């Protein structure tokens, strides 16, 4: 009996953890973000439903290629709650990613979302790394029409492995997935992490750590 009770408790606990780890279900049809509201909540405050229009649920522009003339040769065009206020509380968003030939979307994580990506044009090498202590790289080359998943929180990247431009569409399981670019976060924080910490963490000379910091 006590064993059964413990088991039931464990099951209940695991369910409650799953619920707490993700965005709560909406408690109304929608909660269109009111950017002018001074109210601080988990997410954004709702505007008066009577003032909501189709424009709140609308975005135009994903037919346009992003400008990939930058050091990485890629550009992310995000469509999340910042662009579409109607996404507030709904736990979903979208992005278009453009890649110049051999361009990369450098290693990054989304702290609040799993990502599912499909290739519309070109070929991409994609990968993510599992957490410690395995740190296993799971990687694959995708062609047009292929789909790949990057689990929530894991470091991942893409590279265009073709001679033409590549395009992908990604859906993310958060209205506000967030992005932590590994290099920017570690080497480009403001104020900077002390160089000796980075040198020790990355097992390099301080001059090397300092050189990398200067790039971000
Ligand atoms: C793309 O970005 C580069 C670098 O910022 C800029 O020089 C160029 O004019 C942009 N191209 C277009 C078509 O906007």
């Amino acid at each position: 009996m006590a064993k059964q009770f413990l088991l039931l408790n464990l099951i209940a606990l695991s369910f409650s953890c799953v619920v707490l780890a993700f965005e709560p279900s909406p408690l109304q049809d929608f909660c269109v973000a009111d950017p002018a509201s001074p109210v601080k909540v988990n997410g954004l405050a709702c505007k008066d439903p009577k003032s909501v229009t189709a424009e709140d649920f609308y975005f135009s522009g994903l037919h346009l290629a992003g400008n990939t003339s930058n050091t990485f040769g890629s550009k992310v065009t995000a469509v999340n709650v910042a662009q579409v206020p109607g996404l507030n509380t709904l736990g979903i968003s979208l992005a278009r990613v453009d890649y110049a030939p051999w361009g990369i979307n450098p290693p990054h994580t989304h702290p609040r979302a799993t990502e599912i990506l499909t290739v519309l044009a070109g070929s991409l090498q994609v990968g993510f790394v599992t957490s410690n202590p395995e740190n296993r790289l799971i990687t694959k080359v995708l062609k047009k029409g292929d789909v790949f998943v990057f689990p929530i929180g894991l470091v991942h990247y893409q590279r265009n492995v073709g001679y033409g431009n590549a395009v992908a569409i990604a859906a993310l399981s958060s209205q506000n997935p967030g992005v932590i670019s590994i290099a920017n976060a570690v080497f480009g924080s403001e104020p900077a992490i002390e160089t000796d910490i980075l040198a020790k963490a990355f097992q390099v000379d301080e001059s090397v750590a300092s050189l990398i910091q200067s790039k971000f």
Side-chain angles (χ1 to χ4, degrees):
M1 192 62 193
K3 242 183 202 165
Q4 270 173 353
F5 184 70
L6 186 67
L7 186 67
L8 276 177
N9 265 342
L10 277 176
I11 291 169
L13 189 68
S14 66
F15 274 106
S16 62
C17 289
V18 167
V19 168
L20 288 175
F22 292 91
E23 291 171 342
S25 308
L27 303 175
Q28 63 278 300
D29 280 353
F30 48 73
C31 166
V32 173
D34 177 4
S37 172
V39 177
K40 299 284 174 227
V41 292
N42 185 20
L44 297 160
C46 315
K47 72 173 174 184
D48 181 353
K50 289 193 282 299
S51 72
V52 164
T53 70
E55 299 307 305
D56 290 316
F57 300 94
Y58 174 79
F59 174 88
S60 177
L62 278 199
H63 59 300
L64 301 172
N67 184 348
T68 58
S69 300
N70 53 57
T71 32
F72 299 121
S74 76
K75 178 71 180 180
V76 176
T77 306
V79 186
N80 57 46
V81 72
Q83 291 77 30
V84 180
L87 281 175
N88 193 37
T89 74
L90 297 182
I92 194 167
S93 60
L94 204 62
R96 170 184 171 134
V97 194
D98 287 277
Y99 311 83
W102 306 104
I104 63 162
N105 185 8
H108 62 280
T109 82
H110 303 291
R112 292 176 289 278
T114 289
E115 172 175 346
I116 181 166
L117 172 145
T118 186
V119 180
L120 299 188
S123 284
L124 294 179
Q125 186 216 332
V126 302
F128 67 81
V129 180
T130 68
S131 54
N132 298 354
E134 290 82 13
N135 297 133
R136 181 156 75 99
L137 173 64
I138 295 181
T139 180
K140 191 164 174 66
V141 174
L142 309 180
K143 57 185 190 334
K144 183 177 172 175
D146 291 353
V147 174
F148 200 79
V149 173
F150 304 107
I152 183 168
L154 299 189
V155 174
H156 60 280
Y157 62 86
Q158 301 103 35
R159 171 165 61 167
N160 180 359
V161 287
Y163 290 94
N165 293 328
V167 185
I169 294 283
L172 297 117
S173 63
S174 170
Q175 65 184 47
N176 180 25
V179 184
I180 300 171
S181 298
I182 304 305
N184 298 59
V186 175
F187 292 100
S189 70
E190 195 64 58
I193 298 176
E194 279 103 321
T195 306
D196 63 307
I197 295 177
L198 295 178
K200 196 172 273 185
F202 286 82
Q203 297 285 291
V204 294
D205 215 72
E206 275 193 41
S207 62
V208 176
S210 163
L211 175 69
I212 303 174
Q213 282 180 300
S214 72
K215 310 267 182 196
F216 294 91

